[in-house]
Amino acid sequence: MQAKDIMVSPQRIDKSAKISNALGIMEKKNTRRLLVTHNNEVVGILTMRNLAKELGTKKRTKPPSSLPVVTAISENFTFIKPDTKFSVAVKIIKEKGGVLLVSENEKDVLGWITPNEIIGAYDFRGLAKDVMFQKTIIAINSNERLVHARYLMLEHNVGRIPVMEEGKLVGVISEKDVAVAFQEFKDSVPDNHQEARIKNLLVADVMTRNPITAGPNTPAEDIVSLMVHKNVGIVPIVDNEKLVGIITRRSLITSIPTLE
């Protein structure tokens, strides 16, 4: 299997477009990243994490409708050839993260490969407990401030965090929740009131309650199916009402053996 066999067409946006437009496209297309271009050349990648970071900064008091996409892009991508072997693609994305841009000349993008395409192409065996992350689970209480959730995501480089109440899992908050909440906040609250009112935004206000969960003995392939076909970004693993691990696309990729 080669890169060209699993690549998909990326959603694109020009670097001059506004962040509010980008969020609209992401919502409509149900994606968390866009390929940013200008005059058919790659400028960078816009992700929900970029947006959560940029929209949550104190210096950004202006409405997202006035900010160009280029203010929030990253260069977390790697060019690969269409005939790159799947095992090599896995190794690159493990080491460098980001996305893989498939191109013959490192200019004209034929398609891209995200973690979703990687896990969708791999034949996972075993159970949830074999592929879940369980060492130090980053979690947050529902009554914490939204700015703290954003801090945790950026500090630990994670896109979703389990939300707890009295030791029990009650929800999940994602970088999308954070980005959208900050967009709505900055669109509706005057500049001179934002610093005071931002403290009133709580995790409970924006999180997704009653998330899809699985048990330690759930087949790994069932969880992969959820992520690929239902676009579920995190599956908390619960045993006797206790959170014992989480599975994300990145944790699944980590579990794929790397061939030398």
Side-chain angles (χ1 to χ4, degrees):
M1 185 163 45
Q2 299 178 335
K4 62 185 179 183
D5 300 319
I6 64 171
M7 69 182 186
V8 297
S9 181
Q11 295 294 327
R12 301 173 185 242
I13 193 168
D14 191 84
K15 71 174 186 178
S16 63
K18 304 303 181 184
I19 283 178
S20 54
N21 294 339
L23 278 168
I25 294 172
M26 288 172 159
E27 182 70 26
K28 182 178 179 179
K29 300 297 184 180
N30 198 22
T31 182
R32 54 188 291 264
R33 53 175 64 84
L34 299 173
L35 179 64
V36 182
T37 61
H38 187 65
N39 294 331
N40 293 322
E41 292 189 4
V42 175
V43 177
I45 307 293
L46 180 71
T47 68
M48 280 294 182
R49 196 166 307 170
N50 298 147
L51 292 173
K53 178 181 180 179
E54 189 66 22
L55 294 175
T57 58
K58 291 183 178 180
K59 65 179 181 179
R60 295 299 185 195
T61 56
K62 294 183 179 180
S65 57
S66 68
L67 297 174
V69 162
V70 72
T71 62
I73 62 172
S74 72
E75 296 182 356
N76 196 8
F77 61 86
T78 304
F79 280 108
I80 61 172
K81 298 284 188 181
D83 59 356
T84 300
K85 292 182 179 179
F86 177 76
S87 58
V88 175
V90 171
K91 184 177 181 181
I92 293 173
I93 212 165
K94 272 187 176 185
E95 293 176 351
K96 298 186 177 181
V99 299
L100 305 178
L101 301 184
V102 183
S103 174
E104 290 282 11
N105 55 12
E106 295 196 359
K107 180 179 179 182
D108 301 311
V109 177
L110 304 175
W112 73 4
I113 297 172
T114 72
N116 206 52
E117 284 70 60
I118 295 290
I119 66 171
Y122 187 74
D123 185 18
F124 285 89
R125 302 295 176 89
L127 305 174
K129 62 185 178 183
D130 302 320
V131 295
M132 70 183 186
F133 179 80
Q134 57 183 329
K135 291 182 180 179
T136 303
I137 302 173
I138 306 301
I140 193 169
N141 195 279
S142 62
N143 62 10
E144 289 274 7
R145 293 173 178 173
L146 189 63
V147 290
H148 185 57
R150 171 185 172 274
Y151 166 79
L152 289 177
M153 289 177 181
L154 298 178
E155 178 71 13
H156 298 281
N157 195 28
V158 296
R160 297 163 184 83
I161 302 176
V163 182
M164 313 295 289
E165 287 179 3
E166 298 180 353
K168 292 185 178 181
L169 177 74
V170 295
V172 166
I173 185 167
S174 70
E175 54 204 359
K176 177 183 176 181
D177 298 327
V178 173
V180 171
F182 278 121
Q183 178 202 24
E184 294 175 349
F185 175 83
K186 294 191 174 183
D187 275 341
S188 60
V189 179
D191 295 2
N192 58 336
H193 293 296
Q194 287 184 12
E195 186 171 355
R197 292 190 186 180
I198 196 71
K199 299 175 183 178
N200 297 326
L201 278 178
L202 302 180
V203 169
D205 299 328
V206 302
M207 72 182 192
T208 299
R209 288 191 175 271
N210 303 315
I212 295 174
T213 63
N217 294 319
T218 301
E221 61 182 339
D222 291 351
I223 293 175
V224 172
S225 180
L226 270 176
M227 291 185 160
V228 173
H229 301 299
K230 300 292 185 180
N231 199 25
V232 176
I234 182 173
V235 178
I237 307 302
V238 179
D239 190 17
N240 292 323
E241 298 189 349
K242 182 181 179 181
L243 181 65
V244 296
I246 58 171
I247 294 180
T248 65
R249 293 181 180 90
R250 289 292 178 186
S251 68
L252 286 168
I253 289 176
T254 299
S255 73
I256 300 176
T258 301
L259 301 178
E260 298 298 335

Short mmCIF file of all heavy atoms in Angstrom, two decimals, residues 100-160:
data_model
loop_
_atom_site.label_atom_id
_atom_site.label_comp_id
_atom_site.label_asym_id
_atom_site.label_seq_id
_atom_site.Cartn_x
_atom_site.Cartn_y
_atom_site.Cartn_z
N LEU A 100 0.63 14.77 6.13
CA LEU A 100 1.52 14.46 5.02
C LEU A 100 0.89 14.99 3.74
O LEU A 100 -0.26 14.65 3.42
CB LEU A 100 1.74 12.95 4.92
CG LEU A 100 2.25 12.25 6.19
CD1 LEU A 100 2.38 10.75 5.96
CD2 LEU A 100 3.57 12.85 6.64
N LEU A 101 1.60 15.81 3.00
CA LEU A 101 1.12 16.33 1.73
C LEU A 101 1.74 15.51 0.61
O LEU A 101 2.96 15.42 0.49
CB LEU A 101 1.51 17.80 1.58
CG LEU A 101 0.97 18.76 2.65
CD1 LEU A 101 1.36 20.20 2.31
CD2 LEU A 101 -0.53 18.64 2.78
N VAL A 102 0.89 14.92 -0.20
CA VAL A 102 1.35 14.04 -1.28
C VAL A 102 1.57 14.88 -2.54
O VAL A 102 0.65 15.53 -3.03
CB VAL A 102 0.33 12.92 -1.54
CG1 VAL A 102 0.87 11.97 -2.62
CG2 VAL A 102 0.03 12.15 -0.26
N SER A 103 2.80 14.86 -3.03
CA SER A 103 3.16 15.70 -4.17
C SER A 103 4.36 15.12 -4.90
O SER A 103 5.23 14.50 -4.29
CB SER A 103 3.49 17.12 -3.70
OG SER A 103 3.96 17.92 -4.76
N GLU A 104 4.40 15.33 -6.20
CA GLU A 104 5.56 14.89 -6.99
C GLU A 104 6.68 15.92 -6.94
O GLU A 104 7.85 15.59 -7.11
CB GLU A 104 5.14 14.66 -8.45
CG GLU A 104 4.24 13.46 -8.68
CD GLU A 104 5.02 12.14 -8.67
OE1 GLU A 104 6.20 12.14 -8.29
OE2 GLU A 104 4.39 11.12 -9.01
N ASN A 105 6.32 17.18 -6.70
CA ASN A 105 7.31 18.24 -6.81
C ASN A 105 7.37 19.19 -5.61
O ASN A 105 7.97 20.25 -5.67
CB ASN A 105 7.04 19.07 -8.06
CG ASN A 105 5.60 19.63 -8.09
OD1 ASN A 105 4.90 19.58 -7.09
ND2 ASN A 105 5.19 20.14 -9.24
N GLU A 106 6.73 18.80 -4.50
CA GLU A 106 6.66 19.62 -3.29
C GLU A 106 6.04 21.00 -3.58
O GLU A 106 6.37 21.99 -2.94
CB GLU A 106 8.04 19.79 -2.65
CG GLU A 106 8.61 18.48 -2.14
CD GLU A 106 9.77 18.67 -1.19
OE1 GLU A 106 10.15 19.82 -0.93
OE2 GLU A 106 10.27 17.65 -0.68
N LYS A 107 5.09 20.99 -4.52
CA LYS A 107 4.37 22.22 -4.84
C LYS A 107 2.91 21.92 -5.13
O LYS A 107 2.02 22.44 -4.47
CB LYS A 107 5.02 22.92 -6.04
CG LYS A 107 4.32 24.22 -6.42
CD LYS A 107 5.02 24.90 -7.61
CE LYS A 107 4.29 26.18 -7.98
NZ LYS A 107 4.92 26.86 -9.16
N ASP A 108 2.67 21.10 -6.13
CA ASP A 108 1.30 20.74 -6.50
C ASP A 108 0.82 19.59 -5.61
O ASP A 108 1.32 18.46 -5.72
CB ASP A 108 1.24 20.32 -7.97
CG ASP A 108 1.71 21.43 -8.90
OD1 ASP A 108 1.22 22.57 -8.73
OD2 ASP A 108 2.56 21.17 -9.78
N VAL A 109 -0.12 19.88 -4.75
CA VAL A 109 -0.61 18.88 -3.80
C VAL A 109 -1.67 18.00 -4.44
O VAL A 109 -2.73 18.48 -4.85
CB VAL A 109 -1.17 19.57 -2.54
CG1 VAL A 109 -1.74 18.54 -1.57
CG2 VAL A 109 -0.09 20.39 -1.86
N LEU A 110 -1.39 16.71 -4.51
CA LEU A 110 -2.32 15.75 -5.09
C LEU A 110 -3.36 15.30 -4.07
O LEU A 110 -4.48 14.91 -4.41
CB LEU A 110 -1.55 14.53 -5.62
CG LEU A 110 -0.45 14.83 -6.64
CD1 LEU A 110 0.31 13.56 -6.97
CD2 LEU A 110 -1.04 15.46 -7.89
N GLY A 111 -2.97 15.33 -2.80
CA GLY A 111 -3.84 14.90 -1.72
C GLY A 111 -3.08 14.99 -0.41
O GLY A 111 -1.89 15.33 -0.41
N TRP A 112 -3.75 14.70 0.68
CA TRP A 112 -3.03 14.67 1.95
C TRP A 112 -3.44 13.47 2.77
O TRP A 112 -4.46 12.83 2.52
CB TRP A 112 -3.15 15.98 2.71
CG TRP A 112 -4.48 16.30 3.37
CD1 TRP A 112 -5.60 15.51 3.44
CD2 TRP A 112 -4.81 17.51 4.07
NE1 TRP A 112 -6.60 16.14 4.13
CE2 TRP A 112 -6.14 17.37 4.53
CE3 TRP A 112 -4.10 18.67 4.37
CZ2 TRP A 112 -6.79 18.37 5.25
CZ3 TRP A 112 -4.75 19.66 5.10
CH2 TRP A 112 -6.07 19.50 5.52
N ILE A 113 -2.60 13.17 3.74
CA ILE A 113 -2.85 12.05 4.66
C ILE A 113 -2.81 12.59 6.07
O ILE A 113 -1.81 13.16 6.51
CB ILE A 113 -1.79 10.94 4.48
CG1 ILE A 113 -1.85 10.36 3.06
CG2 ILE A 113 -1.99 9.84 5.52
CD1 ILE A 113 -0.73 9.40 2.75
N THR A 114 -3.92 12.43 6.77
CA THR A 114 -4.03 12.85 8.16
C THR A 114 -4.04 11.60 9.02
O THR A 114 -4.11 10.47 8.50
CB THR A 114 -5.32 13.66 8.38
OG1 THR A 114 -6.44 12.75 8.32
CG2 THR A 114 -5.48 14.74 7.33
N PRO A 115 -4.00 11.74 10.34
CA PRO A 115 -4.09 10.56 11.20
C PRO A 115 -5.32 9.70 10.90
O PRO A 115 -5.28 8.46 11.06
CB PRO A 115 -4.16 11.17 12.60
CG PRO A 115 -3.35 12.41 12.49
CD PRO A 115 -3.69 12.96 11.13
N ASN A 116 -6.40 10.31 10.44
CA ASN A 116 -7.61 9.55 10.14
C ASN A 116 -7.39 8.54 9.01
O ASN A 116 -7.88 7.41 9.06
CB ASN A 116 -8.74 10.51 9.74
CG ASN A 116 -10.11 9.93 10.02
OD1 ASN A 116 -10.38 9.48 11.13
ND2 ASN A 116 -10.97 9.93 9.02
N GLU A 117 -6.64 8.95 7.98
CA GLU A 117 -6.37 8.03 6.88
C GLU A 117 -5.42 6.91 7.31
O GLU A 117 -5.55 5.77 6.86
CB GLU A 117 -5.77 8.79 5.68
CG GLU A 117 -6.76 9.59 4.88
CD GLU A 117 -7.29 10.80 5.62
OE1 GLU A 117 -6.47 11.68 5.99
OE2 GLU A 117 -8.52 10.86 5.83
N ILE A 118 -4.50 7.24 8.20
CA ILE A 118 -3.57 6.22 8.69
C ILE A 118 -4.31 5.14 9.45
O ILE A 118 -4.16 3.95 9.15
CB ILE A 118 -2.49 6.85 9.60
CG1 ILE A 118 -1.59 7.82 8.81
CG2 ILE A 118 -1.65 5.76 10.27
CD1 ILE A 118 -0.66 7.18 7.82
N ILE A 119 -5.13 5.53 10.41
CA ILE A 119 -5.80 4.49 11.22
C ILE A 119 -6.86 3.76 10.40
O ILE A 119 -7.13 2.58 10.65
CB ILE A 119 -6.41 5.07 12.51
CG1 ILE A 119 -7.57 6.03 12.19
CG2 ILE A 119 -5.35 5.75 13.36
CD1 ILE A 119 -8.34 6.45 13.43
N GLY A 120 -7.43 4.44 9.42
CA GLY A 120 -8.44 3.79 8.60
C GLY A 120 -7.86 2.73 7.68
O GLY A 120 -8.55 1.81 7.25
N ALA A 121 -6.57 2.85 7.36
CA ALA A 121 -5.93 1.92 6.44
C ALA A 121 -5.25 0.75 7.16
O ALA A 121 -4.85 -0.22 6.50
CB ALA A 121 -4.90 2.67 5.59
N TYR A 122 -5.10 0.86 8.47
CA TYR A 122 -4.38 -0.19 9.22
C TYR A 122 -5.36 -1.20 9.81
O TYR A 122 -6.45 -0.83 10.26
CB TYR A 122 -3.55 0.44 10.33
CG TYR A 122 -2.64 -0.55 11.03
CD1 TYR A 122 -1.49 -1.03 10.41
CD2 TYR A 122 -2.95 -1.02 12.31
CE1 TYR A 122 -0.66 -1.94 11.06
CE2 TYR A 122 -2.13 -1.92 12.95
CZ TYR A 122 -0.98 -2.39 12.32
OH TYR A 122 -0.17 -3.30 12.95
N ASP A 123 -4.96 -2.44 9.82
CA ASP A 123 -5.80 -3.52 10.35
C ASP A 123 -5.50 -3.71 11.83
O ASP A 123 -4.60 -4.47 12.20
CB ASP A 123 -5.54 -4.81 9.57
CG ASP A 123 -6.47 -5.94 10.00
OD1 ASP A 123 -7.51 -5.65 10.63
OD2 ASP A 123 -6.15 -7.11 9.72
N PHE A 124 -6.25 -3.00 12.67
CA PHE A 124 -6.02 -3.10 14.11
C PHE A 124 -6.62 -4.40 14.66
O PHE A 124 -7.75 -4.76 14.35
CB PHE A 124 -6.64 -1.91 14.85
CG PHE A 124 -5.87 -0.64 14.69
CD1 PHE A 124 -6.14 0.23 13.63
CD2 PHE A 124 -4.87 -0.30 15.58
CE1 PHE A 124 -5.43 1.40 13.47
CE2 PHE A 124 -4.14 0.88 15.43
CZ PHE A 124 -4.43 1.73 14.37
N ARG A 125 -5.86 -5.05 15.49
CA ARG A 125 -6.32 -6.25 16.18
C ARG A 125 -6.28 -5.98 17.68
O ARG A 125 -5.80 -4.95 18.14
CB ARG A 125 -5.42 -7.44 15.83
CG ARG A 125 -5.35 -7.75 14.33
CD ARG A 125 -6.69 -8.20 13.80
NE ARG A 125 -6.66 -8.41 12.35
CZ ARG A 125 -6.35 -9.56 11.77
NH1 ARG A 125 -5.99 -10.61 12.53
NH2 ARG A 125 -6.35 -9.68 10.46
N GLY A 126 -6.75 -6.92 18.45
CA GLY A 126 -6.68 -6.77 19.90
C GLY A 126 -7.83 -5.97 20.46
O GLY A 126 -8.84 -5.72 19.80
N LEU A 127 -7.63 -5.52 21.70
CA LEU A 127 -8.69 -4.86 22.45
C LEU A 127 -8.32 -3.42 22.79
O LEU A 127 -7.17 -3.01 22.63
CB LEU A 127 -8.96 -5.64 23.73
CG LEU A 127 -9.29 -7.13 23.57
CD1 LEU A 127 -9.39 -7.80 24.93
CD2 LEU A 127 -10.56 -7.31 22.77
N ALA A 128 -9.31 -2.69 23.28
CA ALA A 128 -9.09 -1.30 23.65
C ALA A 128 -7.94 -1.16 24.64
O ALA A 128 -7.13 -0.23 24.54
CB ALA A 128 -10.37 -0.71 24.23
N LYS A 129 -7.86 -2.06 25.60
CA LYS A 129 -6.81 -1.96 26.61
C LYS A 129 -5.41 -2.11 26.04
O LYS A 129 -4.43 -1.71 26.66
CB LYS A 129 -7.05 -2.99 27.71
CG LYS A 129 -7.00 -4.44 27.24
CD LYS A 129 -7.37 -5.40 28.37
CE LYS A 129 -7.39 -6.85 27.92
NZ LYS A 129 -7.82 -7.75 29.01
N ASP A 130 -5.33 -2.67 24.81
CA ASP A 130 -4.03 -2.86 24.18
C ASP A 130 -3.54 -1.59 23.49
O ASP A 130 -2.34 -1.45 23.21
CB ASP A 130 -4.10 -3.99 23.15
CG ASP A 130 -4.53 -5.32 23.77
OD1 ASP A 130 -4.08 -5.61 24.89
OD2 ASP A 130 -5.32 -6.04 23.12
N VAL A 131 -4.45 -0.68 23.17
CA VAL A 131 -4.07 0.50 22.39
C VAL A 131 -4.39 1.81 23.10
O VAL A 131 -4.10 2.89 22.58
CB VAL A 131 -4.78 0.51 21.01
CG1 VAL A 131 -4.30 -0.67 20.17
CG2 VAL A 131 -6.29 0.48 21.16
N MET A 132 -4.97 1.74 24.30
CA MET A 132 -5.36 2.97 24.98
C MET A 132 -4.16 3.61 25.68
O MET A 132 -3.18 2.96 26.01
CB MET A 132 -6.45 2.70 26.02
CG MET A 132 -6.01 1.91 27.24
SD MET A 132 -7.41 1.58 28.35
CE MET A 132 -6.55 0.82 29.76
N PHE A 133 -4.28 4.92 25.87
CA PHE A 133 -3.29 5.68 26.64
C PHE A 133 -3.78 5.74 28.08
O PHE A 133 -4.93 6.08 28.33
CB PHE A 133 -3.14 7.09 26.08
CG PHE A 133 -2.15 7.93 26.83
CD1 PHE A 133 -0.80 7.81 26.60
CD2 PHE A 133 -2.58 8.84 27.79
CE1 PHE A 133 0.12 8.58 27.29
CE2 PHE A 133 -1.67 9.61 28.49
CZ PHE A 133 -0.32 9.48 28.24
N GLN A 134 -2.90 5.39 29.03
CA GLN A 134 -3.37 5.30 30.41
C GLN A 134 -2.38 5.83 31.45
O GLN A 134 -2.70 5.86 32.64
CB GLN A 134 -3.70 3.84 30.76
CG GLN A 134 -2.53 2.89 30.56
CD GLN A 134 -2.89 1.44 30.82
OE1 GLN A 134 -3.75 1.15 31.64
NE2 GLN A 134 -2.25 0.52 30.10
N LYS A 135 -1.21 6.27 31.04
CA LYS A 135 -0.20 6.66 32.02
C LYS A 135 -0.64 7.85 32.86
O LYS A 135 -0.85 7.74 34.06
CB LYS A 135 1.13 6.95 31.31
CG LYS A 135 1.78 5.71 30.73
CD LYS A 135 3.12 6.05 30.07
CE LYS A 135 3.77 4.79 29.51
NZ LYS A 135 5.06 5.11 28.84
N THR A 136 -0.74 9.00 32.26
CA THR A 136 -1.18 10.20 32.97
C THR A 136 -2.26 10.86 32.12
O THR A 136 -1.95 11.57 31.16
CB THR A 136 -0.03 11.19 33.20
OG1 THR A 136 1.02 10.53 33.92
CG2 THR A 136 -0.52 12.39 34.02
N ILE A 137 -3.50 10.60 32.46
CA ILE A 137 -4.61 11.13 31.67
C ILE A 137 -4.87 12.58 32.08
O ILE A 137 -5.11 12.87 33.25
CB ILE A 137 -5.88 10.29 31.88
CG1 ILE A 137 -5.62 8.84 31.50
CG2 ILE A 137 -7.04 10.86 31.05
CD1 ILE A 137 -6.77 7.91 31.82
N ILE A 138 -4.80 13.49 31.12
CA ILE A 138 -5.10 14.89 31.38
C ILE A 138 -6.61 15.05 31.40
O ILE A 138 -7.29 14.79 30.42
CB ILE A 138 -4.50 15.81 30.29
CG1 ILE A 138 -2.99 15.54 30.15
CG2 ILE A 138 -4.76 17.27 30.62
CD1 ILE A 138 -2.20 15.77 31.41
N ALA A 139 -7.16 15.45 32.54
CA ALA A 139 -8.60 15.65 32.68
C ALA A 139 -8.85 17.00 33.34
O ALA A 139 -7.94 17.63 33.87
CB ALA A 139 -9.22 14.51 33.51
N ILE A 140 -10.10 17.42 33.30
CA ILE A 140 -10.47 18.72 33.86
C ILE A 140 -11.84 18.64 34.49
O ILE A 140 -12.68 17.83 34.07
CB ILE A 140 -10.43 19.82 32.76
CG1 ILE A 140 -10.48 21.22 33.38
CG2 ILE A 140 -11.55 19.62 31.74
CD1 ILE A 140 -10.18 22.32 32.37
N ASN A 141 -12.08 19.46 35.51
CA ASN A 141 -13.39 19.50 36.14
C ASN A 141 -14.32 20.41 35.36
O ASN A 141 -13.88 21.40 34.77
CB ASN A 141 -13.26 19.98 37.59
CG ASN A 141 -14.50 19.70 38.40
OD1 ASN A 141 -15.49 20.43 38.34
ND2 ASN A 141 -14.49 18.61 39.16
N SER A 142 -15.60 20.09 35.39
CA SER A 142 -16.56 20.87 34.60
C SER A 142 -16.70 22.31 35.07
O SER A 142 -17.13 23.18 34.30
CB SER A 142 -17.93 20.19 34.63
OG SER A 142 -18.43 20.13 35.96
N ASN A 143 -16.35 22.61 36.32
CA ASN A 143 -16.49 23.99 36.81
C ASN A 143 -15.21 24.81 36.64
O ASN A 143 -15.12 25.94 37.12
CB ASN A 143 -16.93 24.01 38.28
CG ASN A 143 -15.93 23.33 39.21
OD1 ASN A 143 -14.82 23.01 38.80
ND2 ASN A 143 -16.33 23.11 40.45
N GLU A 144 -14.22 24.24 35.95
CA GLU A 144 -13.00 25.00 35.65
C GLU A 144 -13.29 26.03 34.55
O GLU A 144 -14.22 25.88 33.74
CB GLU A 144 -11.89 24.06 35.17
CG GLU A 144 -11.33 23.17 36.26
CD GLU A 144 -10.23 23.83 37.04
OE1 GLU A 144 -9.99 25.05 36.84
OE2 GLU A 144 -9.59 23.15 37.86
N ARG A 145 -12.47 27.06 34.49
CA ARG A 145 -12.63 28.08 33.46
C ARG A 145 -12.17 27.55 32.10
O ARG A 145 -11.25 26.74 32.00
CB ARG A 145 -11.85 29.34 33.83
CG ARG A 145 -12.40 30.05 35.06
CD ARG A 145 -11.50 31.19 35.48
NE ARG A 145 -12.05 31.92 36.63
CZ ARG A 145 -11.42 32.87 37.29
NH1 ARG A 145 -10.19 33.21 36.92
NH2 ARG A 145 -11.99 33.48 38.31
N LEU A 146 -12.81 28.07 31.07
CA LEU A 146 -12.48 27.66 29.71
C LEU A 146 -11.03 28.00 29.36
O LEU A 146 -10.37 27.27 28.63
CB LEU A 146 -13.42 28.33 28.72
CG LEU A 146 -13.35 27.84 27.27
CD1 LEU A 146 -13.74 26.38 27.19
CD2 LEU A 146 -14.24 28.68 26.37
N VAL A 147 -10.54 29.11 29.90
CA VAL A 147 -9.15 29.50 29.61
C VAL A 147 -8.17 28.45 30.15
O VAL A 147 -7.09 28.26 29.59
CB VAL A 147 -8.81 30.89 30.21
CG1 VAL A 147 -9.55 31.98 29.45
CG2 VAL A 147 -9.13 30.95 31.70
N HIS A 148 -8.56 27.76 31.22
CA HIS A 148 -7.69 26.72 31.76
C HIS A 148 -7.71 25.49 30.86
O HIS A 148 -6.66 24.84 30.67
CB HIS A 148 -8.11 26.34 33.18
CG HIS A 148 -7.20 25.35 33.84
ND1 HIS A 148 -5.85 25.59 34.00
CD2 HIS A 148 -7.44 24.11 34.36
CE1 HIS A 148 -5.29 24.55 34.60
NE2 HIS A 148 -6.22 23.63 34.82
N ALA A 149 -8.86 25.16 30.30
CA ALA A 149 -8.95 24.04 29.36
C ALA A 149 -8.05 24.30 28.16
O ALA A 149 -7.33 23.42 27.69
CB ALA A 149 -10.39 23.83 28.93
N ARG A 150 -8.10 25.54 27.67
CA ARG A 150 -7.25 25.92 26.55
C ARG A 150 -5.78 25.79 26.91
O ARG A 150 -4.96 25.27 26.13
CB ARG A 150 -7.56 27.37 26.13
CG ARG A 150 -6.58 27.96 25.12
CD ARG A 150 -6.90 29.42 24.85
NE ARG A 150 -5.89 30.06 24.02
CZ ARG A 150 -4.78 30.61 24.51
NH1 ARG A 150 -4.54 30.60 25.82
NH2 ARG A 150 -3.90 31.17 23.69
N TYR A 151 -5.42 26.23 28.11
CA TYR A 151 -4.03 26.13 28.58
C TYR A 151 -3.57 24.67 28.59
O TYR A 151 -2.47 24.34 28.13
CB TYR A 151 -3.90 26.74 29.97
CG TYR A 151 -2.60 26.39 30.66
CD1 TYR A 151 -1.42 27.06 30.34
CD2 TYR A 151 -2.55 25.37 31.60
CE1 TYR A 151 -0.22 26.72 30.95
CE2 TYR A 151 -1.36 25.02 32.21
CZ TYR A 151 -0.20 25.70 31.88
OH TYR A 151 0.99 25.34 32.49
N LEU A 152 -4.41 23.78 29.12
CA LEU A 152 -4.04 22.37 29.20
C LEU A 152 -3.84 21.76 27.81
O LEU A 152 -2.92 20.98 27.59
CB LEU A 152 -5.12 21.58 29.95
CG LEU A 152 -5.22 21.83 31.46
CD1 LEU A 152 -6.39 21.04 32.05
CD2 LEU A 152 -3.92 21.43 32.17
N MET A 153 -4.71 22.12 26.88
CA MET A 153 -4.58 21.60 25.52
C MET A 153 -3.27 22.01 24.89
O MET A 153 -2.58 21.20 24.25
CB MET A 153 -5.76 22.08 24.67
CG MET A 153 -7.08 21.43 25.02
SD MET A 153 -8.45 22.12 24.04
CE MET A 153 -9.83 21.19 24.72
N LEU A 154 -2.92 23.28 25.05
CA LEU A 154 -1.69 23.78 24.45
C LEU A 154 -0.45 23.26 25.18
O LEU A 154 0.55 22.91 24.56
CB LEU A 154 -1.69 25.31 24.45
CG LEU A 154 -2.81 25.97 23.65
CD1 LEU A 154 -2.72 27.49 23.78
CD2 LEU A 154 -2.75 25.56 22.19
N GLU A 155 -0.53 23.20 26.49
CA GLU A 155 0.61 22.75 27.30
C GLU A 155 0.94 21.29 27.03
O GLU A 155 2.13 20.90 26.98
CB GLU A 155 0.29 22.95 28.78
CG GLU A 155 1.38 22.48 29.75
CD GLU A 155 2.63 23.35 29.74
OE1 GLU A 155 2.58 24.47 29.16
OE2 GLU A 155 3.64 22.92 30.32
N HIS A 156 -0.09 20.46 26.88
CA HIS A 156 0.13 19.01 26.71
C HIS A 156 -0.07 18.54 25.28
O HIS A 156 -0.01 17.33 25.02
CB HIS A 156 -0.81 18.25 27.66
CG HIS A 156 -0.56 18.54 29.11
ND1 HIS A 156 0.48 17.96 29.82
CD2 HIS A 156 -1.20 19.37 29.98
CE1 HIS A 156 0.45 18.40 31.08
NE2 HIS A 156 -0.55 19.26 31.19
N ASN A 157 -0.31 19.48 24.37
CA ASN A 157 -0.45 19.16 22.95
C ASN A 157 -1.53 18.10 22.72
O ASN A 157 -1.32 17.09 22.05
CB ASN A 157 0.89 18.68 22.37
CG ASN A 157 0.88 18.68 20.85
OD1 ASN A 157 0.15 19.46 20.22
ND2 ASN A 157 1.67 17.80 20.26
N VAL A 158 -2.69 18.33 23.28
CA VAL A 158 -3.83 17.43 23.10
C VAL A 158 -5.02 18.23 22.56
O VAL A 158 -5.14 19.43 22.79
CB VAL A 158 -4.24 16.73 24.41
CG1 VAL A 158 -3.11 15.83 24.89
CG2 VAL A 158 -4.61 17.75 25.50
N GLY A 159 -5.88 17.54 21.84
CA GLY A 159 -7.01 18.22 21.23
C GLY A 159 -8.33 18.02 21.94
O GLY A 159 -9.30 18.72 21.66
N ARG A 160 -8.36 17.08 22.89
CA ARG A 160 -9.59 16.78 23.61
C ARG A 160 -9.25 16.35 25.03
O ARG A 160 -8.27 15.64 25.24
CB ARG A 160 -10.38 15.68 22.90
CG ARG A 160 -10.84 16.08 21.51
CD ARG A 160 -11.24 14.89 20.66
NE ARG A 160 -11.59 15.30 19.31
CZ ARG A 160 -10.71 15.49 18.34
NH1 ARG A 160 -9.42 15.32 18.59
NH2 ARG A 160 -11.10 15.86 17.13
#
